[in-house]
Amino acid sequence: MTKGNLINFKWRQLILSLGCLLLFIACNNSYPNDVQPLKVATDPTFIPFEIQTASSHLEGFDIDLMNAIAKVAGFTIQFESLPFDGMISTLQAKRVDAAISGITITAERLKTIAFSRPYFKAGLAIAVREDNQNIKDFNSLKGKKIAVQIGSTGADFAKTIPNAKISTFNSGSEFFQDLLNGNVDAVVSDAFATLYAIKNGKLKGIRVVADLLTQEYYGIATPKDSPHLDAINKAIATLLSNGTYKQIYQKWFNTEPPQLPDS
Ligand code: GLN
């Protein structure tokens, strides 16, 4: 190699190295959310909010909403299945970035984790066997045998019923089976999930008492001081105003969504 060629070669090498360095910086800085997927916990037993299909595919209202949020916010998502009861402590320990699982925003939970703006208007209802005529409201639950899901708002509510004998279960399919078997008189759980199962023929022999016991809102839960919460909230606002939320709501519930509060 002549002296001139050698200098030329070194310049080319330098320019190439600088180019690689710039490309590296650009890739690392402009879309950090694309590089690190957001770990999102969900309990796929809460139908139709989260469902695991026979081929282990996740679907449901929450799953569609979370995927739409990710698209708007520029996140990629990695869902992780977790039992509902362990979700709050997993968030506290920051083992996941967020959780979507029909989680009701409560003052108690806000002490240890954070929530997005409300994304779903919900409430607790009493479910009984179809032939049961005596349980009509809160007062008629006194002293009765009641099944609830561990760690749920239904379980908290049941504690306020005087003299109730409470059985706890891990998922809806278990407590409804207990109700059908005649082991308990009623179930206190989220109205929408129960009504959906009845309407779709998945829950035979059970009816929901008309009046809701509570009014609740679901939020996407994150650890406190999450760096992702702001982007999640902005994305929910976008989906509410651009019609995507309504589209997802109608897909799963076949009706117009109700108005949601901002916070
Ligand atoms: N909404 C209820 C709660 O937050 C139950 C949710 C669920 O079972 N996934 O406690």
Side-chain angles (χ1 to χ4, degrees), residues 118-228:
Y119 74 82
F120 195 89
K121 189 174 180 188
L124 294 174
I126 306 168
V128 290
R129 283 182 299 281
E130 237 160 24
D131 56 357
N132 182 320
Q133 298 305 323
N134 10 322
I135 297 180
K136 298 180 197 73
D137 50 20
F138 177 80
N139 286 330
S140 48
L141 288 174
K142 284 179 192 160
K144 292 285 190 300
K145 286 188 254 171
I146 295 168
V148 294
Q149 169 159 353
I150 304 171
S152 68
T153 46
D156 290 338
F157 186 89
K159 287 180 198 149
T160 68
I161 304 165
N163 302 321
K165 290 165 215 56
I166 301 166
S167 317
T168 53
F169 294 88
N170 266 319
S171 69
S173 54
E174 294 172 50
F175 54 65
F176 285 123
Q177 195 51 52
D178 216 49
L179 178 62
L180 284 170
N181 291 350
N183 296 333
V184 291
D185 305 302
V187 159
V188 173
S189 66
D190 291 54
F192 269 79
T194 315
L195 288 168
Y196 181 90
I198 293 173
K199 201 170 153 205
N200 290 280
K202 300 265 186 321
L203 209 52
K204 294 203 170 75
I206 285 173
R207 69 181 175 85
V208 170
V209 174
D211 292 335
L212 293 189
L213 295 168
T214 57
Q215 180 177 293
E216 303 184 356
Y217 289 98
Y218 298 159
I220 296 169
T222 66
K224 270 197 186 266
D225 309 317
S226 160
H228 309 291

Side-chain angles (χ1 to χ4, degrees), residues 40 42 113 121 125 144 164 187 210 218 232 251 263:
V40 182
T42 192
I113 56 165
K121 189 174 180 188
K144 292 285 190 300
V187 159
Y218 298 159
I232 292 174
K251 170 180 166 189
S263 60

Side-chain angles (χ1 to χ4, degrees), residues 101-123:
S101 213
I103 309 174
T104 303
I105 304 169
T106 69
E108 192 55 33
R109 290 172 179 168
L110 279 168
K111 288 183 191 159
T112 54
I113 56 165
F115 278 100
S116 69
R117 56 182 288 166
Y119 74 82
F120 195 89
K121 189 174 180 188

Side-chain angles (χ1 to χ4, degrees), residues 1-12:
M1 206 180 277
T2 65
K3 204 174 166 200
N5 271 349
L6 188 69
I7 293 170
N8 238 337
F9 178 70
K10 288 211 163 149
W11 267 111
R12 251 186 284 152

